[in-house]
Amino acid sequence: LWDAINAARPQVWLWAGDAVYLGRDQPEGLREAYQAQLAHPGYRSLLNTVKHVDGVYDDHDLGENDAGKHFAHQKQSQAAFLDFLGVGTDAPSPRRERHGVYSSHVFGAPPHQTKVILLDTRTHRDDYLVWNVANAVPFGALVAAAVRGFTVALGVGRRYEGDVLGVEQWAWLEDQLRDSEAGGPTP
């Protein structure tokens, strides 16, 4: 995997989740898994050549399948993930103080800038309306897809108002969109 990625010579690497995948619920193994990823020769090569590495986590970076806002080890998982990325090691970062790993990054020089907004869709995520049976029964992924299909077809949860970002991150996102200095589309 890393050989193919390095061959493409990326300038930036942004994790979109599951930087490590423990295969089962074990938040205590996160730091060791991140250290193994950091020690991988292909990833080390990437770190030595890209200008910027960052990202957000998903459930397995938290340490539990389908983890959301009720996950008991969120603070430890957030700290381990930010340590893995090296966030806040050179200078203080607001990501060390807030609840969640969301961030934004502007790449390029004016007027050719691109703003990338990375949203944390785990830290504040409400529970699913229908429990995910994917890991609990034989052929779980197929059963889970069928259950979710039936709930949609039957209109179950039509009024469900579950949240993914949380109040703080929604306000931050609005600020990011309103105050962006990245260039707009060219005519």
Side-chain angles (χ1 to χ4, degrees), residues 30-111:
L30 280 175
R31 287 197 181 275
E32 183 178 314
Y34 286 133
Q35 288 306 313
Q37 182 72 278
L38 287 168
H40 190 285
Y43 189 60
R44 294 273 359 129
S45 179
L46 179 79
L47 291 175
N48 290 329
T49 58
V50 298
K51 296 177 183 175
H52 186 80
V53 174
D54 212 310
V56 290
Y57 48 37
D58 198 24
D59 54 350
H60 293 280
D61 303 295
L62 280 175
E64 182 177 85
N65 188 48
D66 285 336
K69 74 179 184 182
H70 299 294
F71 180 59
H73 305 282
Q74 279 193 8
K75 286 185 181 182
Q76 299 92 324
S77 297
Q78 179 171 333
F81 184 72
L82 295 175
D83 288 349
F84 166 68
L85 294 175
V87 172
T89 55
D90 296 334
S93 170
R95 293 170 77 189
R96 293 284 183 173
E97 305 302 319
R98 65 180 171 223
H99 193 56
V101 296
Y102 52 94
S103 63
S104 68
H105 309 272
V106 177
F107 299 104

